[in-house]
Amino acid sequence: KEAKTFKMHSDNLYILGAWLSYERKAQGYSLRGLARGSNVAASLISAIENQKSKANLDTLKYLFEALHHSFITDDDYTHSVLENIDALYYAVYDQNEAMVPPLYAGIKEHLKTLKYSPLTVDLILVEAFMQIHYEHGPVSEAFKALFNHEDYLSTVQKQRLYLNQGYIAYQAGQYKAAENAFERVLKCHRKSRAHAVALTMLAHLKLRDFDALNAMHAAKEASQLHAHYSNLFRKVEVDFILIQCHITLNQLSHAESIIQNLSYVLVESNRRYWSELQAFKAYVAYRNKDYPLCIQILSTLEEKNVLQTVMLAQAYVHIQDPKNAEAAYKNLMKNAPLDPHENALIRMMMTQFKDTPLLAEDLSMLLDTPKQFIHLHVVQTLIEVLSSYAYHRHDSETLYKLQKLSLKLMKFD
């Protein structure tokens, strides 16, 4: 019976021993008091609580019920809940939004009943997953406590633990900590949906760090795994990262090949990806110095992000049309909500037109935090624009600072 129930992981019994200690102390029971109430020897309870002995299910049932907690070991019930937990993870991975709320609502009904049970760890992990992604609130103390018991988790549970940890750090802007957590998912050496998602997040983080080569390696492996799990749109997500990496590394034929393949798969009615695919075509045209084609493609997009606007405006600059270039930047500032770095970016780009001055605080922001300026291409373009500005004004100090920044970024070029 125990072997069947613990298809999930028998070492979770050690974790339940630690939880037992927490509940006993919270309710004011001594070891001897619990021993009297459960007919289990105090020495055995102590060994279980200190994770020196693995209790069997019957013993845990007696102990938790003596603390007024039901301890359900019914195989059919626990397995049906476990199947729903797995189904919820798959629904989120498959982006099946319609299935997520009913599945989670069903699981939430069991959270209290199965607080202490063979599913304790799995329920803590899935609750934290939903708290992070759907409830957007803090995770439970029980989730945080799992890090004290990592050795007793199964490989699947470890991957879910570290994936949650990575997302928490990512949402808090702690990108290095997020990277470390997602890498721990990979170190579990189990190819899975969690593995594919961790690789995807690592590709995003590496690209954000201007590390196109390592972003490309992570994205390639993620693309293969997403294809294996038949998730087209997650594959498209990492294929877009691959395109960006190839363009950044000036491997334009590779980028064009992926764009061509995606053009067969995606259709114009898919607003989620079609516009971004067109933008990548424009990006390749820009890098090929086909500025009229770049302008033609970008002009068809109803909404343009900051990178796309920079490409459009600079394409106009290259064909000697400063009026339209300036208008593109002004429209962006007028119509789009911009963060401080984006505002600074546009102000610096505007130094190309008329007598717009370069603000010292904007330059400092670029020099101190270049990676906050969205994209390596944007930073490179900024350096070119500001270098020209400084050169024509004989500003050797600014030129020197920009050259230092350029050298610092050269390893990513």
Side-chain angles (χ1 to χ4, degrees), residues 101-392:
L103 280 168
Y104 186 46
I107 291 166
K108 281 181 86 168
E109 291 179 9
H110 305 292
L111 286 173
K112 197 167 185 179
T113 309
L114 296 171
K115 181 179 180 183
Y116 296 115
S117 74
L119 293 184
T120 296
V121 172
D122 300 283
L123 286 166
I124 290 169
L125 288 169
V126 76
E127 182 185 37
F129 182 80
M130 297 306 288
Q131 286 166 335
I132 293 163
H133 295 281
Y134 287 86
E135 297 176 0
H136 307 292
V139 293
S140 67
E141 291 301 314
F143 171 76
K144 296 173 186 175
L146 283 180
F147 288 94
N148 299 321
H149 311 289
E150 292 177 60
D151 291 345
Y152 303 112
L153 298 177
S154 70
T155 302
V156 173
Q157 291 166 343
K158 284 179 181 176
Q159 285 193 319
R160 290 173 178 174
L161 178 74
Y162 302 143
L163 204 58
N164 283 343
Q165 182 187 31
Y167 274 112
I168 292 168
Y170 185 82
Q171 291 173 3
Q174 299 166 353
Y175 299 117
K176 191 62 187 173
E179 189 176 315
N180 290 338
F182 291 130
E183 283 176 348
R184 292 186 80 182
V185 177
L186 308 188
K187 286 176 183 174
C188 291
H189 302 297
R190 174 180 174 268
K191 296 294 174 72
S192 62
R193 290 166 178 81
H195 191 105
V197 172
L199 281 165
T200 301
M201 292 306 299
L202 281 170
H204 281 296
L205 286 163
K206 296 292 185 184
L207 199 57
R208 185 191 173 281
D209 203 32
F210 298 166
D211 189 351
L213 195 59
N214 282 315
M216 182 171 67
H217 292 323
K220 273 184 179 176
E221 191 176 348
S223 180
Q224 291 168 357
L225 277 175
H226 291 317
H228 174 75
Y229 293 115
S230 304
N231 193 310
L232 170 63
F233 292 121
R234 287 198 182 272
K235 184 180 186 306
V236 171
E237 179 186 352
V238 287
D239 282 350
F240 280 167
I241 296 174
L242 274 174
I243 293 169
Q244 192 166 321
C245 292
H246 285 308
I247 296 172
T248 299
L249 296 167
N250 214 34
Q251 299 170 347
L252 301 183
S253 61
H254 292 291
E256 287 176 311
S257 175
I258 299 172
I259 290 170
Q260 187 66 39
N261 288 337
L262 289 178
S263 296
Y264 295 131
V265 174
L266 301 175
V267 293
E268 193 167 354
S269 60
N270 189 323
R271 296 177 62 86
R272 183 175 180 180
Y273 294 114
W274 185 258
S275 294
E276 196 167 353
L277 185 65
Q278 300 313 300
F280 277 123
K281 290 180 182 178
Y283 194 5
V284 170
Y286 187 96
R287 290 298 287 264
N288 276 322
K289 299 185 179 180
D290 189 346
Y291 302 117
L293 178 58
C294 176
I295 292 167
Q296 178 189 332
I297 296 170
L298 289 175
S299 297
T300 65
L301 302 184
E302 292 180 12
E303 296 180 7
K304 287 177 272 295
N305 62 27
V306 175
L307 170 62
Q308 292 157 11
T309 301
V310 169
M311 277 198 297
L312 177 62
Q314 293 309 116
Y316 277 124
V317 168
H318 284 293
I319 64 168
Q320 310 298 315
D321 187 351
K323 184 178 177 182
N324 274 317
E326 188 174 3
Y329 285 129
K330 285 182 176 177
N331 284 337
L332 181 65
M333 293 190 80
K334 179 181 176 183
N335 298 320
L338 303 175
D339 65 29
H341 281 87
E342 291 168 338
N343 272 310
L345 161 67
I346 303 305
R347 286 194 297 267
M348 284 187 279
M349 287 299 193
M350 296 288 278
T351 60
Q352 299 171 92
F353 314 119
K354 299 178 182 175
D355 296 319
T356 308
L358 173 62
L359 301 180
E361 58 266 32
D362 291 342
L363 180 62
S364 295
M365 195 181 286
L366 170 66
L367 297 172
D368 294 340
T369 56
K371 291 172 187 174
Q372 298 298 319
F373 284 84
I374 307 159
H375 193 287
L376 180 58
H377 170 76
V378 170
V379 177
Q380 290 168 329
T381 304
L382 259 176
I383 291 173
E384 290 171 9
V385 168
L386 297 180
S387 295
S388 175
Y389 175 92
Y391 175 77
H392 287 106

